[in-house]
Amino acid sequence: MSLTLVLTLLLYACDSHRNDEKKQVGMDFTPLDYLPALKGDYFRLESTNVGRPYHIYVRLPEGYEKSPEKQYPVIYLLDGDSLFPILAANHMFLHYDDNIPEAIVVGIAYGGFDPAINWRDADFSTETTQWNRSGGAENFHHFLEQELLPTVESRYRIDTTRRVLYGQSRGGFMVLYSAFNHPDLFWGRISGNPSLHPNKAQFYAEPAKAERGDLMLIVSSATKDRYQENRELAREWQEHWSGRQDAPWSIRFNSIEGGTHAANSPEIYRYAMRQLFQREIEMARRVSTGAAAEH
């Protein structure tokens, strides 16, 4: 018997075993169900605004099924291909250690890093002649506002007044674009090591007016970012906006000493969660202190 035939038979046997497992449990299952820190949901969403599909991963809070009336904050992660496994799982530990409220975490993924399917350069940019692909920011934001948010918020119990958008590098650009052009859509925004290109002047212009008065924009910049221009531009931006009074959001700027471009997303996320949920953290600590005093 040839080696090729043997391997073919083994692969067939493995596939048959997997199919038998599914039949035995009587249902299709989501593989993430076996990773409890990431347990939740997945669906593919075809975007008419962008003309491409996205893979949407959802991490549900612990005890979600046991609290059928409770609504949760929601954090939308750009670049979910890499950031969802890191930050969605870490949110559970922030709840344990920092009293961060539980939240629904949504990863927006392309399904891979191959530029043939990963269009982050186009989605997270405004028009420029310097790049091969650019200018998709507004269409991507339409996808968020008109397609993704309504779908997610119809499926899960979400407090729509506490939406948060997280992005890093070019995703950080997209967060800033959203903040300047559509400020009311998200309560909180987190821009980590943002690229301000292309067209950095747009982030010094007057932002769109906001109806809400409780919006927050959190920008983090690492001192050892390998793209030092990002660091320099972020500091210039922060200094500029610290002297202006027309921002529709309150700004928090976080300098990560010794941090690098890609590896410090948990620190960026943790700092931002502590800023956004400061009131809830203090309330939880007072309750904990009071309970300890009673004993």
Side-chain angles (χ1 to χ4, degrees), residues 167-174 176 191-197 219-221 225 229-231 233-234 253 261:
Q168 195 159 310
S169 190
R170 288 186 180 175
F173 174 101
M174 188 64 213
L176 294 176
S191 179
N193 291 322
S195 168
L196 270 68
H197 292 303
V219 178
S220 287
S221 175
D225 191 330
E229 186 184 16
N230 284 359
R231 170 71 176 172
L233 291 178
F253 187 84
H261 183 71

Side-chain angles (χ1 to χ4, degrees), residues 78-135:
L78 305 180
D79 287 319
D81 306 80
S82 53
L83 290 176
F84 178 79
I86 299 169
L87 300 181
N90 198 50
H91 194 98
M92 180 181 71
F93 296 119
L94 295 179
H95 177 60
Y96 292 165
D97 289 351
D98 290 359
N99 293 310
I100 304 294
E102 266 287 25
I104 294 170
V105 183
V106 179
I108 307 165
Y110 291 93
F113 298 128
D114 187 335
I117 59 172
N118 191 314
W119 283 66
R120 68 191 298 271
D121 52 343
D123 286 347
F124 306 156
S125 65
T126 48
E127 200 69 47
T128 178
T129 58
Q130 298 176 350
W131 298 357
N132 292 329
R133 304 189 304 195
S134 66

Side-chain angles (χ1 to χ4, degrees), residues 13-34:
C14 289
D15 286 340
S16 298
H17 179 66
R18 292 191 193 100
N19 290 332
D20 288 343
E21 278 186 331
K22 288 187 178 182
K23 289 176 183 177
Q24 288 173 14
V25 298
M27 60 181 292
D28 291 332
F29 59 86
T30 303
L32 290 182
D33 288 348
Y34 298 97

